[in-house]
Amino acid sequence: SASECDTIPGRQCMASFLFLRNEFENAMVYLNSIKGFFFNDDTFNFNFAQAKAALGQYSEAQEVLQQISSDEIKNSYTYLSWLARCYIMINKPDKAWELYMRME
């Protein structure tokens, strides 16, 4: 609705909608506008990092991924895959290999 379009939940909703449509550049407009309210939110940071990586911002994505403290997220295949991809893309393949070896 019009009354919710410029609220934090409204912006979060638009970011989620665009993220799910793989419109990461547009999603980042909304994510950047609310990131200050979700600095320590692991789910937000996980989605924020994935959007950054999808846009080729691998160094920034790697930094955000490493801020996550949730063991559930950090042990997920998706998290480990994105972190490994970021390491590879920022020329740190040894770190990606270390992740892979810990998965086995």
Side-chain angles (χ1 to χ4, degrees):
S1 75
S3 65
E4 295 178 351
C5 71
D6 202 23
T7 64
I8 294 167
R11 288 171 181 253
Q12 189 174 16
C13 181
M14 281 303 300
S16 297
F17 170 75
L18 294 165
F19 183 94
L20 292 171
R21 291 178 49 109
N22 292 328
E23 295 180 26
F24 299 110
E25 194 169 319
N26 292 328
M28 286 302 292
V29 171
Y30 291 97
L31 292 170
N32 280 321
S33 74
I34 61 173
K35 71 180 176 184
F37 298 97
F38 295 95
F39 183 76
N40 291 321
D41 185 300
D42 286 338
T43 302
F44 176 85
N45 284 331
F46 188 41
N47 291 329
F48 189 58
Q50 288 179 84
K52 282 190 164 293
L55 292 172
Q57 300 170 8
Y58 297 107
S59 183
E60 295 93 339
Q62 178 251 316
E63 291 174 13
V64 175
L65 285 169
Q66 290 188 309
Q67 292 175 7
I68 293 171
S69 61
S70 165
D71 287 335
E72 182 180 355
I73 293 174
K74 288 170 60 173
N75 291 324
S76 73
Y77 178 79
T78 305
Y79 172 88
L80 294 168
S81 296
W82 275 111
L83 185 55
R85 181 182 178 103
C86 289
Y87 282 141
I88 290 167
M89 298 306 285
I90 61 174
N91 204 26
K92 295 182 179 180
D94 52 318
K95 296 264 191 191
W97 185 250
E98 287 175 26
L99 276 178
Y100 174 74
M101 294 305 289
R102 279 190 278 155
M103 287 174 58
E104 292 184 355

